[in-house]
Amino acid sequence: MKNCSQKTVKEKKVFIQTYGCQMNEYDTDKMFEVLRHENYFHTDTQEDADLIILNTCSIREKAENKVYSELGRLRYLKTANPELKIGVGGCVAQQEGETILQRNSNVDFVFGTDNLFELPFMLRKIHKGEKITKTKRYDRQKVRNFVPEYTFQNLKHSGVRAHLTITKGCNNYCSFCVVPVTRGLEVSREPDQIIAEAERLVSTGTREICLLGQNVNSYKANGVDFVELLQRMDELDGLQRLRFTSPHPKDFHEKLAEAIASLPSLCEQLHLPLQSGSDRILHRMRRWYTIETYYQKVAMLRELLPDVSLSTDIIVGFPGETDEEFEMTIEAIRKIRFDLIYSFKYSPRPGTRAADYPGHLSESVKSKRLKILLETQGKIVREKFQAFVGTEHEVLIEGNHHRKADSVTGRTRGNHPVSIKNSAKQAGELISVVITKANQNSLEAVPSSEI
Ligand code: 5AD
Ligand code: SF4
């Protein structure tokens, strides 16, 4: 609670640029909450800001490079306004630490993935003219409430859809992945705290929650496992939809498939990162499943839910990947027919095992393989979207269409984006629709009541 004397303090404005994954988006929301208590309010314009924070991602080199070019661009703002403070947080900050300050004289502070709740302390230091780096890790425990309660207890309004981080870090050390370096070992939040945050979100407008974790299905805290947490979430009054991302295929079991099939709020949708269709590459990636066991898990889920929506991550051009091994990935994609694929060219990351593997492939081979993958998947999605025409779906409305005045937008339970014509429904409401048209990346529909 703010006291009266704090009310007289001048309000300042903060601009936060977020790169990377949903976990970073969640962290950005938390930064805004922490900073609100320091009298900083959100601005969408860098030129208006007293404070600019880049919340960075280092999962691939391209993401990391964006941060450095943005820091270069921000130089002119600092020249125009020497009072402007610039901070770098997130995964690049965790990895590079002090070096960022040494190489970029515009930057005032650098903070790691465990340090965002120390922002008030850092701001006091930099306003005294100090430069500061805070990248110390605190977590040795497997269970810890790493999100302070004030960041959600005081929420006033939340979006129709919200993220909720339940674990951070990862113990898997996939050979390509920098996350265990940047986010540390896995820590789970206590179930009661997660439920308390979810209740607050629902009471302030949220209708759909996506639980986040690097390996979300290995969640375990106070004797509660992931499926038990889903069961508790499902009992929340007012929560229409529940999702989670990302589970690891090695930890995907029947109990979780049954939960997706039976818990009313849990959507019939699964993001299950495959990465490659070749057993040799999967082994070198340290993924600990084979393509056969992956097929079996998909079959088990489809047995329970034939229309389940499936998405995945694929890496092309992993070190040593042959043409035949890449072809196995294409074959897997043709067999499984995912609804959505996030595909990436392999990018060597410092501190990961694969960076030192022999057989790194040229950019042109990686680009060629990515193109083939995109074309293969494009055809599958067109066919799948076409098959949606004439079918009925429940859509959660998110708001007005940004271009079409007579339409609203939302998503199906399968997570497909839909625009709906002639609906009087408001954001947060559910509506039954019939799909009338399939576009490349979205669907069009009309309310079922009009058919
Ligand atoms: N190169 C390319 N893609 C990567 N991913 C993670 N690390 C790398 C890397 N070094 C992809 C994986 C993961 C997704 C979040 O990002 O597919 O599932
Ligand atoms: Fe990275 Fe593998 Fe952990 Fe996912 S499971 S965050 S890919 S190390």
Side-chain angles (χ1 to χ4, degrees):
M1 272 289 155
K2 284 179 194 137
N3 61 34
C4 295
S5 63
Q6 277 175 309
K7 275 191 180 154
T8 60
V9 176
K10 179 181 168 283
E11 286 178 6
K12 286 174 269 177
K13 292 186 183 147
V14 56
F15 175 95
I16 305 182
Q17 177 75 51
T18 312
Y19 301 88
C21 64
Q22 292 142 317
M23 192 82 65
N24 265 15
E25 286 170 23
Y26 178 85
D27 285 352
T28 291
D29 288 346
K30 292 294 163 207
M31 286 182 207
F32 279 125
E33 272 311 297
V34 172
L35 289 167
R36 208 164 55 79
H37 286 254
E38 301 295 305
N39 278 300
Y40 279 90
F41 290 82
H42 166 263
T43 172
D44 281 331
T45 324
Q46 286 183 340
E47 283 74 10
D48 277 353
D50 302 284
L51 173 64
I52 294 180
I53 295 177
L54 306 186
N55 187 10
T56 63
C57 168
S58 62
I59 195 94
R60 285 167 292 276
E61 199 179 0
K62 213 162 126 191
E64 190 169 335
N65 290 343
K66 276 191 204 158
V67 176
Y68 291 110
S69 52
E70 184 62 9
L71 283 176
R73 242 180 37 76
L74 289 178
R75 197 169 301 133
Y76 83 98
L77 283 181
K78 190 92 170 184
T79 314
N81 171 17
E83 294 300 307
L84 170 68
K85 302 292 180 200
I86 297 179
V88 181
C91 292
V92 178
Q94 182 67 47
Q95 225 176 311
E96 300 297 311
E98 190 82 28
T99 321
I100 297 180
L101 280 186
Q102 286 159 0
R103 295 213 185 130
N104 300 272
S105 56
N106 306 326
V107 177
D108 297 281
F109 63 111
V110 174
F111 59 103
T113 49
D114 267 2
N115 309 90
L116 83 89
F117 300 108
E118 294 164 64
L119 272 170
F121 165 82
M122 291 185 267
L123 289 174
R124 276 190 280 285
K125 291 271 185 198
I126 60 167
H127 282 117
K128 285 185 194 155
E130 290 179 36
K131 297 237 170 188
I132 180 163
T133 304
K134 277 215 149 262
T135 51
K136 189 170 179 292
R137 286 213 173 288
Y138 294 97
D139 288 313
R140 297 212 177 273
Q141 316 96 299
K142 290 191 175 140
V143 176
R144 189 170 80 89
N145 286 334
F146 51 84
V147 178
E149 304 207 343
Y150 77 89
T151 61
F152 56 83
Q153 273 168 352
N154 295 322
L155 278 178
K156 299 277 183 292
H157 306 284
S158 315
V160 172
R161 298 196 299 145
H163 297 132
L164 205 175
T165 294
I166 64 164
T167 69
K168 67 167 183 171
C170 184
N171 299 344
N172 284 331
Y173 288 95
C174 298
S175 64
F176 53 82
C177 184
V178 78
V179 165
V181 180
T182 59
R183 297 251 173 200
L185 293 178
E186 187 177 276
V187 184
S188 296
R189 289 170 74 185
E190 293 188 32
D192 288 351
Q193 205 211 28
I194 294 169
I195 297 296
E197 181 162 358
E199 278 171 347
R200 187 71 204 162
L201 286 167
V202 172
S203 72
T204 54
T206 295
R207 295 291 164 261
E208 174 177 315
I209 292 180
C210 181
L211 301 178
L212 299 180
Q214 253 84 38
N215 184 5
V216 80
N217 46 341
S218 64
Y219 172 87
K220 182 115 198 161
N222 303 356
V224 174
D225 69 12
F226 184 55
V227 170
E228 285 154 3
L229 181 69
L230 291 172
Q231 285 161 348
R232 283 190 62 180
M233 289 286 298
D234 181 62
E235 286 162 10
L236 283 177
D237 269 349
L239 182 66
Q240 307 277 15
R241 289 179 174 187
L242 181 60
R243 303 184 195 275
F244 57 85
T245 199
S246 289
H248 194 299
K250 76 174 168 57
D251 299 321
F252 184 81
H253 301 301
E254 206 161 0
K255 195 174 156 196
L256 181 50
E258 278 163 4
I260 302 174
S262 64
L263 295 178
S265 66
L266 192 54
C267 291
E268 299 74 23
Q269 172 252 321
L270 184 71
H271 181 73
L272 198 60
L274 170 62
Q275 314 296 2
S276 168
S278 146
D279 284 345
R280 192 186 74 97
I281 296 294
L282 285 173
H283 185 72
R284 284 164 62 78
M285 286 178 163
R286 295 170 49 85
R287 292 291 289 178
W288 317 130
Y289 53 85
T290 62
I291 188 65
E292 205 43 52
T293 53
Y294 189 96
Y295 285 151
Q296 281 163 8
K297 290 184 184 199
V298 168
M300 167 185 71
L301 183 61
R302 282 185 167 156
E303 179 85 10
L304 295 170
L305 283 170
D307 291 330
V308 67
S309 173
L310 277 180
S311 57
T312 200
D313 293 339
I314 299 284
I315 297 178
V316 300
F318 186 78
E321 184 189 66
T322 62
D323 281 337
E324 291 73 30
E325 285 163 343
F326 170 67
E327 194 45 50
M328 290 174 187
T329 300
I330 296 294
E331 192 190 323
I333 286 168
R334 287 207 183 102
K335 272 195 183 158
I336 296 169
R337 294 176 67 79
F338 292 101
D339 292 73
L340 179 67
I341 296 183
Y342 298 94
S343 46
F344 311 102
K345 290 190 263 185
Y346 169 74
S347 167
R349 302 286 61 218
T352 61
R353 292 174 202 228
D356 297 327
Y357 282 1
H360 282 260
L361 300 177
S362 68
E363 222 16 60
S364 72
V365 169
K366 290 185 208 174
S367 299
K368 213 176 94 198
R369 289 184 185 171
L370 186 66
K371 188 164 172 267
I372 296 171
L373 191 151
L374 290 172
E375 282 166 6
T376 310
Q377 178 60 13
K379 186 167 174 287
I380 293 168
V381 169
R382 279 193 296 281
E383 289 165 2
K384 288 198 113 177
F385 267 29
Q386 212 49 56
F388 277 133
V389 175
T391 59
E392 194 166 20
H393 295 263
E394 176 204 89
V395 171
L396 176 64
I397 309 287
E398 286 164 38
N400 293 327
H401 196 286
H402 65 287
R403 277 183 291 105
K404 300 181 201 159
D406 64 345
S407 298
V408 293
T409 59
R411 278 171 189 265
T412 63
R413 285 178 67 92
N415 218 14
H416 295 104
V418 184
S419 78
I420 305 149
K421 246 192 181 149
N422 304 330
S423 167
K425 294 272 183 180
Q426 304 289 317
E429 292 185 301
L430 294 172
I431 181 174
S432 172
V433 303
V434 174
I435 307 295
T436 50
K437 191 176 168 205
N439 300 319
Q440 205 169 349
N441 294 310
S442 67
L443 299 164
E444 292 181 23
V446 293
S448 303
S449 56
E450 287 182 16
I451 295 278

